[in-house]
Amino acid sequence: MINRRKFLKLSAITAPLIAAKKSIANGLEGTTKPIVVSTWDSGMAVNAAAWKILASKGRALDAVEAGAIFMENEMNCCVGLGGYPDRDGIVTLDSCIMDEHANCGAVAGLERIKHPVSVARKVMENTPHVILVGAGAQQFAVENGFVLESTELSADAKKAYAEWLKKSEYKPVINIENKKANGPFAPNFFDDGTPNHDTMGLVAMDANNNLSGAVTTSGMAFKLHGRVGDSPIIGAGLFVDNEIGAATSSGTGEEVIRICGTHLVVEFMRQGLSPEMACKKAVERIVKRDRKKAKELQVGFLALNKKGQYGAYAIQKGFVFSVKSGFENKIYESKFLIR
């Protein structure tokens, strides 16, 4: 099974990378703008796509959409149509986007559409709604010019799914009316120790000091069909308050949803906490609820405030994030609470 931490070849990135041994709460004086921060080391290439717009004094909203589209175009395990399927062998995509005016749009359980983040933006701009799901989201996408793609799994996804079927002994949709149990469920971690959930979330501030954010994912591999995590939920996987800051998350979405995680991070920043400390407080909220359970899962938060300061915190070691501004282009390891 491929390492979900390395699903982009970083050697393709020409900018210099400096990996820190631990994360920092950068203490830059004044405002660092423009700037974009994103989850995981794969965020370096995502940031580069967003930076093309930010460096030209473009809008943060356009930048985060461009970054998310870049990742959706990559054939990897975790984002886009190349991602791992649910337990019935179907790839379903979740995405959301939010701008500086608290306008937001989202899609969940979307099938056969290459760029869910752009569909989410269409929901935001062309409807009075915030979120569309399943067949309705797909219908809306087609009506707005998006093309239905093939249902065939990518080579990596097909291989991983076949192995999972053997191990779980799951038989999709056979005598479904007679089933007395709902399992097997998706594992929190794979056999190689990597968490089963690598979302691409990014938040940015443009030259006009305005914030926006976007999230895109294929969700938890081998999930129950119809499962939706935190990624498309405003206030869970993403939240933007243009007066205070923005936050995104990656990890076991159910735990983020329970505490309205990114909204909580922004509220902690409103109280005066740094982005890193705000993320830490949110992580502590998850762990306090069920410390035993927390040892068996991963959640990481990433935040950016109006001063251009950023920070992250995770339950366990392993969460990293990427930063691009006029001053730096780096990957940082997040601090963590347990293990």
Side-chain angles (χ1 to χ4, degrees):
M1 187 167 292
I2 65 176
N3 189 324
R4 295 167 65 87
R5 200 81 311 104
K6 300 292 182 184
F7 57 81
L8 275 185
K9 294 181 180 178
L10 297 181
S11 59
I13 303 168
T14 58
L17 309 184
I18 304 175
K21 292 184 178 179
K22 60 181 180 179
S23 70
I24 62 171
N26 61 319
L28 298 174
E29 294 183 2
T31 300
T32 303
K33 62 179 181 181
I35 183 171
V36 55
V37 298
S38 58
T39 55
W40 305 116
D41 47 9
S42 54
M44 291 296 291
V46 169
N47 288 354
W51 188 253
K52 292 177 181 179
I53 294 172
L54 294 174
S56 300
K57 298 185 178 181
R59 190 180 176 194
L61 181 70
D62 295 327
V64 296
E65 182 184 17
I69 287 173
F70 175 90
M71 183 55 81
E72 290 168 351
N73 282 333
E74 298 297 300
M75 295 300 288
N76 60 66
C77 61
C78 318
V79 176
L81 292 175
Y84 290 176
D86 61 28
R87 68 178 188 176
D88 291 338
I90 302 168
V91 176
T92 60
L93 307 179
D94 303 331
S95 183
C96 72
I97 196 165
M98 189 171 188
D99 72 7
E100 70 271 27
H101 303 297
N103 298 314
C104 46
V107 290
L110 181 62
E111 300 177 26
R112 300 181 60 188
I113 300 296
K114 191 172 185 179
H115 295 305
V117 71
S118 296
V119 182
R121 183 166 179 175
K122 289 288 186 181
V123 172
M124 178 182 78
E125 295 179 337
N126 295 355
T127 82
H129 309 309
V130 169
I131 186 167
L132 296 179
V133 304
Q138 186 187 81
Q139 178 183 345
F140 173 81
V142 172
E143 289 173 352
N144 280 272
F146 293 85
V147 177
L148 286 176
E149 305 288 344
S150 170
T151 60
E152 185 176 358
L153 297 179
S154 67
D156 284 339
K158 188 178 297 184
K159 179 180 179 181
Y161 182 56
E163 290 299 318
W164 181 81
L165 285 177
K166 291 178 185 176
K167 183 176 180 180
S168 67
E169 299 182 346
Y170 180 62
K171 304 295 187 293
V173 201
I174 296 177
N175 297 325
I176 194 168
E177 70 279 5
N178 295 325
K179 289 175 64 177
K180 298 183 183 300
N182 294 312
F185 296 113
N188 285 326
F189 288 86
F190 288 101
D191 292 340
D192 65 359
T194 56
N196 180 9
H197 199 294
D198 281 358
T199 300
M200 176 45 60
L202 66 159
V203 293
M205 182 166 59
D206 59 33
N208 293 317
N209 216 37
N210 288 321
L211 294 160
S212 291
V215 180
T216 186
T217 187
S218 57
M220 185 172 281
F222 320 131
K223 62 195 175 187
L224 193 154
H225 185 67
R227 178 265 186 185
V228 176
D230 63 313
S231 296
I233 299 176
I234 301 300
L238 175 71
F239 194 70
V240 177
D241 184 323
N242 207 45
E243 292 183 355
I244 305 300
T248 188
S249 63
S250 185
T252 304
E254 286 78 2
E255 298 307 308
V256 179
I257 292 170
R258 285 187 174 96
I259 65 164
C260 300
T262 55
H263 180 268
L264 184 63
V265 170
V266 172
E267 288 305 299
F268 282 138
M269 289 194 292
R270 190 188 306 277
Q271 295 172 16
L273 295 183
S274 69
E276 184 180 280
M277 289 305 298
C279 292
K280 181 182 181 183
K281 293 282 283 186
V283 168
E284 288 174 341
R285 185 74 61 88
I286 293 175
V287 173
K288 181 180 179 180
R289 193 185 75 82
D290 190 335
R291 188 173 183 86
K292 181 179 179 181
K293 184 178 181 180
K295 292 180 179 180
E296 300 175 355
L297 54 87
Q298 173 70 306
V299 169
F301 291 106
L302 173 62
L304 174 70
N305 69 15
K306 288 286 282 190
K307 293 181 180 180
Q309 298 172 327
Y310 54 80
Y313 225 92
I315 294 178
Q316 301 188 36
K317 183 178 181 180
F319 180 52
V320 301
F321 63 97
S322 302
V323 179
K324 172 61 179 171
S325 72
F327 300 96
E328 61 180 334
N329 189 28
K330 299 180 183 179
I331 300 167
Y332 290 104
E333 293 182 7
S334 169
K335 291 181 181 178
F336 55 96
L337 200 62
I338 58 179
R339 284 195 186 177

